[in-house]
Amino acid sequence: MMQSTGLDALTTDVPLAALLAGLPLAGVAAGLAFWGNARLLRGFCVAVAVGSLVAVGLVAGRFAATPLGLLPAAILPVVAAAALLGQPAHREHRLWWLETLVCLGLALGGLAGADIWQHACKAALVLVVMFLLMRQQTQFEPVAWWGMAALVVCLAGLLFVRSAGERLAPWVALAACVPLLPLVPFHGGYASSVARLPGSTAGFLAVALPLLGLHSAATLLGDLPAEMWIGIGWLALASAVWGALRALVQADFRRMVAFGGVSLLSLSWWFAASTSGPRLPAATVYVAGVALAAGGLLAAWQVVRSRYGDAIDPRGVGNLVAGMPRFATLFYVLGLAAMGLPPFGPLTGFMSQAMDLPLAAWGGLSVVLGVWLVPSFYVIGMVHRVLFGPERPELAQTDLVPPEVVALTAYVFMLAAVGIVPGGVLARTGPSTIATVVNDAACFEEATR
Amino acid sequence: MKPLHFQSTKHPDLNADVQEATLVVSQYWPMRSFVHHNPLDHLRTLPFGEAVATSMRFLKTRGYLPSTTYRRYLASGRITREHLTAAVRPRVRAEHAVLAGRRVTHAEVLEACLTAGLCDPRFEPLAAHLPGGDEDRLDRLASRLAAAGVGQAETFTELATADRAALGVTGTLSAWCDALLGTRLVGEIDDQLVKWIGMFIDEGQAAYEMPNRGLGFYAAWKELATREWTTAGIIDARHKIAALPDDPGDALLEQLESLGVVQPRRRDYFALQMGPLQGWAAFLKWRSSTPTYAWQRANPVDLVQYLAVRLWYERELVHQACRKKLGITGRIDAADALMRDRPAEYGLRRRCVAGQLPGGFAREVDRLAAGPGDRWRDLATAHEREVLPRERDAARRGSARRLLGLAKAVGFDAGQVAESQPEELARVHAWIGEFPEVEHGPIWLEAFEAGYREPLLASLRTRVGAGVGDEAARQRPDSQSVYCIDVRSEPFRRNLESIGNHETFGFAGFFACFISYRAWDRHYDTEQYPVIVSAKNRVCEVPKSPSDPVVAAHQRGRALLHAGHELLHDLKENIVTPYITVESLGWFYGLPIVGKTLMPLLYSRFRSSLRQWIEPRIDTTVTIEPPADPAALAVLAHEHAHDTGTIERIGYTLDEQVATVTLALKMMGLTKNFARLVIFCGHGSTTDNNPFSAALDCGACGGNEGRGNARTLAGMGNNLVVRSRLREVGVDIPDDTWFLAAQMDTTTDQVSIEDVEDVPPSHRDALVRLRADLERATELNAQERCLTLPDVAELLSAGEIDYRRATTIVRRRSVDWSQVRPEWGLAGNAAFIIGRRALTRGLDLRGRTFLHSYDYREDPENNLLEVLLTAPQAVAQWINMEHYFSAADPLISGAGSKIYHNVVGRIGVMMGPWSDLQAGLPTQTVLSGDMPYHEPVRLLTVIEAPCSRIDALVAKHDILRHFYDNCWVHLVAYNPEDGDWHRYQPGGGWTMLPPGEESFSAPMSGS
């Protein structure tokens, strides 16, 4: 298991994490000044997200030495901006935008921060999610106790990962990861966040939580015993099948996305178990791809909710293709990405990991392939229902407005970019100058052992 | 209506009910002889508006364009405000309200409803966040409406009460289950019926035919369905089917009893069962009414059998679903009791399936429906507490939005409207509510029709004002040509007349020859006359010189091609050989694919040349009289080897020839001043890969080419004995007049003259000149046509192609296998003008009018007009209505897009692999983009004849009373004796139309 390493100390530090986390958080404080004008506030929040992207770009070289590289840190601000743009500038959404910025700041801090900083940021993010979930209960949806419990487990793992004894350490480290990169029975935190939280926040967390989970796994699970990986492998298979079955029977769109995410993201645990640890950067591509597909579908569904109310049931809309051709095109493309068609990230990541499998793992591959094909039923089924199902002529259809076009297009581009980006760009050892730093760091690590 | 022949004759009441129920569907002929028909023809005893409403009730069809489309016409000026105001006037009350301190009249509100779409039935969503503007104003106005008591939301009890009244009246039990349980029973039943009917009616397309078809549909189904592995998921289906009575009538009565359908609902219930597969039902109806049809004789099917099978599926599936999900039997009385006793559960389930519950409630309904327990009342209470108030708020916001729309439409300050008195707001709101959008269609239609009628009648009046003159006194024309009344003839006639001294006539394209026609090389006869009449004579196309060696070469080549075709077909369809066939011969298809795709015109020429090489062309003639030449008889005997006893019927007697020519010439008004060359020009079309090709051929010839009829009439006219007999009846044809037959290709505008080798040498020069003029007319027509084709018109206007290429373009389209719109066909038809050509000569009628030549002075007995009104007009009305409903409802009454069509059973097309039979016209025929190319308006008949004569015919014929009194056809008469124009009033009587009042308002209800 990788504890506080010299590598981290060299390549990530407090000022970097503070900068990346602080910018969105400062944006939240500044955004209160625009509270009275929803349109301005949304514009400001988008600007803050874009500013975070610029900040990430400015320190891009520093990410080359982090476990997942630059990709997650570059994705998250874009996802935040897209999630914000995907919501109409309505006064009821103001708080959600600020919450999204808070989550963005903490997520970037979690990716960029050094040892204590990353755990602290992740723990803070988990706390925020728990708070939001507590606030989000309704008559038919009381507090999601399974989800809360999973997040408490995660929180405990993050808090005690540095201080746990050698015997408990692997379990604690695992506890810090599995609720974020979901694995049954600790999937509740992720599933509840995706299925219940309001628009832009859910869309953002659908991407951020798995990436943070993978980041934790890459950071903390390096020395996990082989027996534990075997158990994780079996659990991952069960989790993938269970998630797929749950997704299949969902009538609710967001729940379908949540359980579909649980199913597909569990596969990343199975791949990691097969190789005794996540194979980077293939795992990053896969998790980013699946997470982006989930986020994109949520953003697309947000378009429907904006028009017909947050509580709209998928059975309440149909044949949107007739009056919303732009939406139909982008929604369909996102659906194709989610079911794993080229050239999008999920397929690329899946194939990269599958090609890397040891021979012993091929027994489970049949189950994995089965799970991999299931989204072809439930995603396309849902997309067809919404786009081509029986029309409700009494519902007006308004096609995408420009900010929504930008938001959905951003998801499509990100999914495509993740899918076709050259491996060298994603490799932990990046361009020559960074490679030098990394090589130096490796030498330093070797020397200190 | 022809009587239908049902197998179940032992239940006369049942048969009568089925016969009555089938009134809601029309008949559908096999599309190889596409017959344009009025989809609501059997409802023409009802006023047009009522027939449309009846069709909407049973078949769920739309009878008018969407209001949004009409509003686009209003914006473009095609519908004028004046016409709209006139059309809405009968509904206006002399009332007003005061909004924002200003008077707003009832008329203004109704007009605003139409022009601004205020009655749009769309819901105000419960929590939409998309910015809509004016939010504060909307909230203020909504709160004032609340003070006035506006804002209703339907409770579950109200919903259940309304649905109880509708069950069995506007919806079947299977549809009720689908709406309540989210099942797909109607779809499942349709799938089963499409499967069985599709197999049963196959006319040679399937490689393996359904066994036992000779037993009839019901018996064949019963025999085979008991062998199915699974039947639509019905438990123990094999035993249940085996236990059914052998008689379809008994079975049908059993299903009715089981479903609880009792008199007097039975007939309506049958009619409702026609709706989901109305295309198939229409085809079966035609089969039932045509017992002599060979396939019907071999494989009898009727609608009693169809209903017996359909209702068996419904009974089993409904019982199964109701028992499993509701714990009740699948009967109408049980369903009624559920709605009465469990309104909360009913309402929640129903609204959940309809997608009208918020997500949380929907999930709770799913949970309650899936598990035990009875918390429906609690959930309903919660719904009443939480959702109904929100729905009322949303309804008020919707009303407020309408009032703001009204303010904008009538020019009020929207801000001040919100300050109006609540009771005034409520009154205006009530006016809007009393005028729902479903009632807008008839008003829009009247305004729409007026926009066409007014300029047409004004131009005709102008033409009359300029002086029609006595045509007989005019100089002898260079040629006279007679074209079909088809609307596509009008531009060609106009262009030809503009070139030289050519006189043209319009006449139904079968040229009064009611013939069964056997074209050379065909193995079957075609019925070359309107489908509403029957054949009198049989005419065959035979080689002109049977003993010519070329004929033998031709027959050898044909036999070779036929054998090759049969061999290839067998290789493709055999269970073993397709794989090896594709492997070995597949490459051979590369040439046609490349040729047809990249160089269609060149490939077409190459193919024709190749065919000509293998099968040399021969000169033919038609057997107007039974052939006496032994060689010709031998050829006929060979060609008709399978038609025992038919050769004797071939040809006309002399009396029949005289009668036919007399009738034709008198009806078209061609009895004097004959030119040296007179052409009878039939028409056909050339298209590739087009199942609807027959729809482009001559409707008057039963959806076939008119060449045979034209040759027959020309041949009779050139018969000197016939001419001499004609003189006895006052038709003196000069000796130097020669009748020619020709055929116009309506896709390429080319006219090919037949039998030119028979033209006397003295007429050759005239023929050369005529041909040159016809070619010039073809070019002009091609240019005109190109401007109407959207893809070509754009290129023309962009200057990318010049007008000279127009002819090439239209020819290329005719052989392009990927072209979904080779021509517009009869789209655009709107009027039928019966009168002398002088009425319309020189007018650009834009290819929208059927033109039938008629001179009332030649018809003192009124016989000819009687024929015209009861036959050609009826055909024109069918064509008009087919286009009308296909444009108004392209997906149900029309055939949808050609892109998805698949030919089934060689009798029609389905959408994709599995659907209702698409009985109407494809969208490519009636729509241009998302707007209609064919403007759906009812036929306007204009007759040049005294009103008294028309009255006599209307009184004599039911069909004419139905047309005019029920407003299926608008009738205008120009009385040449007093020079006035009159409009027929539904119910009888005439109103004079003074100049400038051509846009008369036509009441929808009729008499």
Side-chain angles (χ1 to χ4, degrees), chain A residues 39 88 90 92-93 139-141 251-252 255 305-311 313 315-316 392-398 404, chain B residues 121-123 125 127-131 139 352-364 366 379 382 385-386:
Chain A
R39 189 172 294 276
H90 193 275
E92 288 187 15
H93 300 169
Q139 181 191 356
F140 300 111
E141 290 185 327
D252 181 274
R255 283 165 180 255
R305 297 168 77 197
S306 301
R307 281 149 184 77
Y308 308 117
D310 274 340
D313 186 59
R315 285 167 287 195
R392 282 182 64 191
E394 72 273 20
L395 287 182
Q397 294 186 356
T398 311
E404 292 170 331
Chain B
R122 284 178 285 194
F123 283 168
H129 290 149
L130 209 61
D139 290 341
C352 179
V353 171
Q356 293 169 345
L357 287 183
F361 278 88
R363 282 193 295 279
E364 199 62 17
D366 289 342
L379 191 60
R385 190 178 59 242
E386 292 185 19

Side-chain angles (χ1 to χ4, degrees), chain B residues 885-916:
Chain B
F885 287 107
S886 293
D889 191 352
L891 293 182
I892 298 182
S893 299
S897 173
K898 277 182 176 177
I899 305 295
Y900 312 109
H901 283 171
N902 277 311
V903 176
V904 55
R906 291 188 180 163
I907 56 111
V909 293
M910 294 194 294
M911 291 286 269
W914 212 263
S915 82
D916 190 12

